[in-house]
mmCIF file of all heavy atoms in Angstrom:
data_model
loop_
_atom_site.group_PDB
_atom_site.id
_atom_site.type_symbol
_atom_site.label_atom_id
_atom_site.label_comp_id
_atom_site.label_asym_id
_atom_site.label_seq_id
_atom_site.Cartn_x
_atom_site.Cartn_y
_atom_site.Cartn_z
ATOM 1 N N VAL A 68 17.580 -5.007 -59.099
ATOM 2 C CA VAL A 68 18.512 -4.977 -57.966
ATOM 3 C C VAL A 68 17.764 -4.832 -56.644
ATOM 4 O O VAL A 68 17.076 -3.845 -56.419
ATOM 5 C CB VAL A 68 19.513 -3.797 -58.108
ATOM 6 C CG1 VAL A 68 20.553 -3.866 -57.007
ATOM 7 C CG2 VAL A 68 20.180 -3.795 -59.477
ATOM 8 N N ALA A 69 17.890 -5.851 -55.801
ATOM 9 C CA ALA A 69 17.357 -5.760 -54.434
ATOM 10 C C ALA A 69 18.548 -5.677 -53.483
ATOM 11 O O ALA A 69 19.691 -5.918 -53.885
ATOM 12 C CB ALA A 69 16.528 -6.996 -54.123
ATOM 13 N N CYS A 70 18.286 -5.360 -52.228
ATOM 14 C CA CYS A 70 19.364 -5.398 -51.229
ATOM 15 C C CYS A 70 20.020 -6.775 -51.255
ATOM 16 O O CYS A 70 21.242 -6.913 -51.155
ATOM 17 C CB CYS A 70 18.823 -5.133 -49.828
ATOM 18 S SG CYS A 70 17.758 -3.700 -49.653
ATOM 19 N N CYS A 73 23.180 -7.992 -53.448
ATOM 20 C CA CYS A 73 24.564 -7.845 -52.988
ATOM 21 C C CYS A 73 24.763 -8.448 -51.599
ATOM 22 O O CYS A 73 25.851 -8.912 -51.276
ATOM 23 C CB CYS A 73 24.961 -6.380 -52.966
ATOM 24 S SG CYS A 73 24.822 -5.599 -54.592
ATOM 25 N N HIS A 74 23.739 -8.397 -50.786
ATOM 26 C CA HIS A 74 23.824 -8.995 -49.447
ATOM 27 C C HIS A 74 23.092 -10.339 -49.528
ATOM 28 O O HIS A 74 21.909 -10.437 -49.194
ATOM 29 C CB HIS A 74 23.205 -8.081 -48.398
ATOM 30 C CG HIS A 74 23.850 -6.717 -48.348
ATOM 31 N ND1 HIS A 74 25.055 -6.504 -47.714
ATOM 32 C CD2 HIS A 74 23.479 -5.518 -48.852
ATOM 33 C CE1 HIS A 74 25.392 -5.213 -47.835
ATOM 34 N NE2 HIS A 74 24.460 -4.596 -48.516
ATOM 35 N N GLY A 89 25.809 -2.633 -58.924
ATOM 36 C CA GLY A 89 24.362 -2.477 -58.822
ATOM 37 C C GLY A 89 23.869 -2.015 -60.170
ATOM 38 O O GLY A 89 24.060 -2.676 -61.188
ATOM 39 N N ARG A 95 33.530 -0.025 -53.656
ATOM 40 C CA ARG A 95 33.835 -0.610 -52.349
ATOM 41 C C ARG A 95 33.295 -2.032 -52.272
ATOM 42 O O ARG A 95 32.377 -2.397 -52.999
ATOM 43 C CB ARG A 95 33.222 0.255 -51.239
ATOM 44 C CG ARG A 95 33.737 1.692 -51.231
ATOM 45 C CD ARG A 95 34.304 2.079 -49.878
ATOM 46 N NE ARG A 95 34.830 3.448 -49.891
ATOM 47 C CZ ARG A 95 34.209 4.496 -49.374
ATOM 48 N NH1 ARG A 95 33.024 4.340 -48.789
ATOM 49 N NH2 ARG A 95 34.763 5.694 -49.394
ATOM 50 N N ASN A 96 33.857 -2.777 -51.331
ATOM 51 C CA ASN A 96 33.457 -4.162 -51.082
ATOM 52 C C ASN A 96 32.141 -4.195 -50.282
ATOM 53 O O ASN A 96 31.912 -3.332 -49.440
ATOM 54 C CB ASN A 96 34.586 -4.842 -50.299
ATOM 55 C CG ASN A 96 34.226 -6.229 -49.826
ATOM 56 O OD1 ASN A 96 33.901 -6.424 -48.653
ATOM 57 N ND2 ASN A 96 34.278 -7.195 -50.711
ATOM 58 N N PRO A 98 30.082 -5.181 -47.381
ATOM 59 C CA PRO A 98 30.230 -5.775 -46.047
ATOM 60 C C PRO A 98 28.987 -6.596 -45.712
ATOM 61 O O PRO A 98 27.935 -6.406 -46.324
ATOM 62 C CB PRO A 98 30.318 -4.551 -45.124
ATOM 63 C CG PRO A 98 29.684 -3.425 -45.862
ATOM 64 C CD PRO A 98 29.679 -3.760 -47.324
ATOM 65 N N GLN A 106 27.044 -1.704 -34.825
ATOM 66 C CA GLN A 106 28.116 -0.776 -35.153
ATOM 67 C C GLN A 106 27.884 0.652 -34.698
ATOM 68 O O GLN A 106 26.762 1.090 -34.516
ATOM 69 C CB GLN A 106 28.358 -0.796 -36.661
ATOM 70 C CG GLN A 106 29.351 -1.847 -36.997
ATOM 71 C CD GLN A 106 29.210 -2.407 -38.379
ATOM 72 O OE1 GLN A 106 29.826 -3.399 -38.678
ATOM 73 N NE2 GLN A 106 28.407 -1.801 -39.217
ATOM 74 N N PHE A 109 28.302 3.466 -39.902
ATOM 75 C CA PHE A 109 27.930 2.538 -40.960
ATOM 76 C C PHE A 109 28.589 2.921 -42.278
ATOM 77 O O PHE A 109 28.836 4.097 -42.519
ATOM 78 C CB PHE A 109 26.399 2.490 -41.078
ATOM 79 C CG PHE A 109 25.801 2.065 -39.763
ATOM 80 C CD1 PHE A 109 25.579 2.993 -38.755
ATOM 81 C CD2 PHE A 109 25.582 0.729 -39.487
ATOM 82 C CE1 PHE A 109 25.114 2.599 -37.509
ATOM 83 C CE2 PHE A 109 25.112 0.322 -38.244
ATOM 84 C CZ PHE A 109 24.871 1.269 -37.254
ATOM 85 N N PHE A 110 28.830 1.913 -43.083
ATOM 86 C CA PHE A 110 29.628 1.993 -44.311
ATOM 87 C C PHE A 110 31.109 1.962 -43.910
ATOM 88 O O PHE A 110 31.468 2.214 -42.765
ATOM 89 C CB PHE A 110 29.359 3.265 -45.146
ATOM 90 C CG PHE A 110 27.972 3.353 -45.736
ATOM 91 C CD1 PHE A 110 27.100 4.357 -45.340
ATOM 92 C CD2 PHE A 110 27.547 2.449 -46.703
ATOM 93 C CE1 PHE A 110 25.827 4.455 -45.899
ATOM 94 C CE2 PHE A 110 26.275 2.551 -47.264
ATOM 95 C CZ PHE A 110 25.424 3.558 -46.853
ATOM 96 N N TRP A 111 31.957 1.662 -44.888
ATOM 97 C CA TRP A 111 33.396 1.563 -44.626
ATOM 98 C C TRP A 111 33.962 2.892 -44.116
ATOM 99 O O TRP A 111 34.969 2.930 -43.424
ATOM 100 C CB TRP A 111 34.135 1.163 -45.904
ATOM 101 C CG TRP A 111 34.055 -0.303 -46.218
ATOM 102 C CD1 TRP A 111 33.214 -0.901 -47.120
ATOM 103 C CD2 TRP A 111 34.838 -1.352 -45.649
ATOM 104 N NE1 TRP A 111 33.431 -2.256 -47.139
ATOM 105 C CE2 TRP A 111 34.432 -2.560 -46.249
ATOM 106 C CE3 TRP A 111 35.856 -1.393 -44.685
ATOM 107 C CZ2 TRP A 111 34.993 -3.793 -45.934
ATOM 108 C CZ3 TRP A 111 36.417 -2.617 -44.366
ATOM 109 C CH2 TRP A 111 35.984 -3.793 -44.981
ATOM 110 N N ARG A 114 29.797 6.999 -43.115
ATOM 111 C CA ARG A 114 29.062 8.204 -43.490
ATOM 112 C C ARG A 114 27.604 8.193 -43.027
ATOM 113 O O ARG A 114 26.860 9.134 -43.278
ATOM 114 C CB ARG A 114 29.174 8.479 -44.994
ATOM 115 C CG ARG A 114 28.514 7.458 -45.900
ATOM 116 C CD ARG A 114 28.772 7.798 -47.363
ATOM 117 N NE ARG A 114 28.157 6.837 -48.250
ATOM 118 C CZ ARG A 114 28.689 5.653 -48.568
ATOM 119 N NH1 ARG A 114 29.844 5.299 -48.051
ATOM 120 N NH2 ARG A 114 28.056 4.827 -49.377
ATOM 121 N N GLN A 121 21.036 4.383 -43.291
ATOM 122 C CA GLN A 121 21.737 3.765 -44.410
ATOM 123 C C GLN A 121 20.838 3.379 -45.605
ATOM 124 O O GLN A 121 21.158 3.754 -46.735
ATOM 125 C CB GLN A 121 22.525 2.557 -43.866
ATOM 126 C CG GLN A 121 23.364 1.833 -44.867
ATOM 127 C CD GLN A 121 22.517 0.893 -45.703
ATOM 128 O OE1 GLN A 121 21.496 0.407 -45.256
ATOM 129 N NE2 GLN A 121 22.919 0.684 -46.930
ATOM 130 N N THR A 125 21.237 4.084 -49.933
ATOM 131 C CA THR A 125 21.532 3.039 -50.920
ATOM 132 C C THR A 125 20.474 3.007 -52.014
ATOM 133 O O THR A 125 20.783 2.880 -53.194
ATOM 134 C CB THR A 125 21.595 1.673 -50.218
ATOM 135 O OG1 THR A 125 22.604 1.754 -49.215
ATOM 136 C CG2 THR A 125 21.918 0.560 -51.182
ATOM 137 N N GLU A 131 23.827 2.259 -57.079
ATOM 138 C CA GLU A 131 23.285 1.090 -56.377
ATOM 139 C C GLU A 131 21.872 0.749 -56.850
ATOM 140 O O GLU A 131 21.677 -0.143 -57.650
ATOM 141 C CB GLU A 131 23.403 1.287 -54.869
ATOM 142 C CG GLU A 131 24.877 1.231 -54.460
ATOM 143 C CD GLU A 131 25.114 1.235 -52.971
ATOM 144 O OE1 GLU A 131 24.839 0.203 -52.324
ATOM 145 O OE2 GLU A 131 25.558 2.266 -52.444
ATOM 146 N N ILE A 176 13.486 -1.372 -42.627
ATOM 147 C CA ILE A 176 14.588 -2.238 -43.112
ATOM 148 C C ILE A 176 15.625 -2.423 -41.998
ATOM 149 O O ILE A 176 16.135 -3.529 -41.783
ATOM 150 C CB ILE A 176 15.237 -1.652 -44.393
ATOM 151 C CG1 ILE A 176 14.208 -1.608 -45.532
ATOM 152 C CG2 ILE A 176 16.433 -2.502 -44.817
ATOM 153 C CD1 ILE A 176 14.744 -1.057 -46.859
ATOM 154 N N ARG A 294 36.833 2.081 -41.517
ATOM 155 C CA ARG A 294 36.364 1.557 -40.238
ATOM 156 C C ARG A 294 36.977 0.189 -39.942
ATOM 157 O O ARG A 294 37.071 -0.663 -40.830
ATOM 158 C CB ARG A 294 34.836 1.418 -40.292
ATOM 159 C CG ARG A 294 34.222 1.083 -38.965
ATOM 160 C CD ARG A 294 32.757 0.753 -39.126
ATOM 161 N NE ARG A 294 32.602 -0.467 -39.908
ATOM 162 C CZ ARG A 294 31.494 -0.807 -40.525
ATOM 163 N NH1 ARG A 294 30.432 -0.047 -40.474
ATOM 164 N NH2 ARG A 294 31.425 -1.942 -41.223
HETATM 165 C C1 HEC B 1 25.000 -3.119 -55.615
HETATM 166 C C2 HEC B 1 25.278 -3.833 -54.382
HETATM 167 C C3 HEC B 1 24.517 -3.407 -53.151
HETATM 168 C C4 HEC B 1 23.150 -3.268 -53.003
HETATM 169 C C5 HEC B 1 22.067 -3.438 -54.036
HETATM 170 C C6 HEC B 1 22.941 -2.941 -51.595
HETATM 171 N N1 HEC B 1 24.127 -2.877 -50.941
HETATM 172 FE FE1 HEC B 1 24.392 -2.532 -48.983
HETATM 173 N N2 HEC B 1 26.332 -2.259 -49.293
HETATM 174 C C7 HEC B 1 27.001 -2.469 -50.483
HETATM 175 C C8 HEC B 1 28.336 -1.927 -50.410
HETATM 176 C C9 HEC B 1 29.384 -1.956 -51.516
HETATM 177 C C10 HEC B 1 28.448 -1.351 -49.118
HETATM 178 C C11 HEC B 1 29.656 -0.584 -48.573
HETATM 179 C C12 HEC B 1 29.597 0.802 -49.195
HETATM 180 C C13 HEC B 1 30.577 1.753 -48.582
HETATM 181 O O1 HEC B 1 31.115 1.489 -47.517
HETATM 182 O O2 HEC B 1 30.779 2.833 -49.175
HETATM 183 C C14 HEC B 1 27.186 -1.607 -48.436
HETATM 184 C C15 HEC B 1 26.925 -1.277 -47.119
HETATM 185 C C16 HEC B 1 25.737 -1.588 -46.464
HETATM 186 C C17 HEC B 1 25.511 -1.435 -45.046
HETATM 187 C C18 HEC B 1 26.507 -0.954 -44.025
HETATM 188 C C19 HEC B 1 27.115 -2.141 -43.344
HETATM 189 C C20 HEC B 1 28.250 -1.762 -42.483
HETATM 190 O O3 HEC B 1 28.879 -2.661 -41.952
HETATM 191 O O4 HEC B 1 28.520 -0.566 -42.328
HETATM 192 C C21 HEC B 1 24.241 -1.836 -44.786
HETATM 193 C C22 HEC B 1 23.533 -1.874 -43.449
HETATM 194 C C23 HEC B 1 23.664 -2.193 -46.057
HETATM 195 N N3 HEC B 1 24.613 -2.052 -47.053
HETATM 196 C C24 HEC B 1 22.348 -2.578 -46.251
HETATM 197 C C25 HEC B 1 21.750 -2.559 -47.514
HETATM 198 C C26 HEC B 1 20.325 -2.461 -47.738
HETATM 199 C C27 HEC B 1 19.270 -2.383 -46.664
HETATM 200 C C28 HEC B 1 20.147 -2.465 -49.089
HETATM 201 C C29 HEC B 1 18.847 -2.324 -49.853
HETATM 202 C C30 HEC B 1 18.082 -1.116 -49.584
HETATM 203 C C31 HEC B 1 21.462 -2.584 -49.695
HETATM 204 N N4 HEC B 1 22.400 -2.603 -48.704
HETATM 205 C C32 HEC B 1 21.687 -2.693 -51.053
HETATM 206 C C33 HEC B 1 26.465 -3.096 -51.586
HETATM 207 C C34 HEC B 1 25.113 -3.122 -51.852
#
Side-chain angles (χ1 to χ4, degrees):
V68 186
C70 311
C73 301
H74 302 281
R95 300 235 178 103
N96 173 258
Q106 271 153 191
F109 302 84
F110 294 116
W111 281 100
R114 66 184 180 278
Q121 183 280 332
T125 302
E131 291 188 73
I176 297 181
R294 189 189 65 200

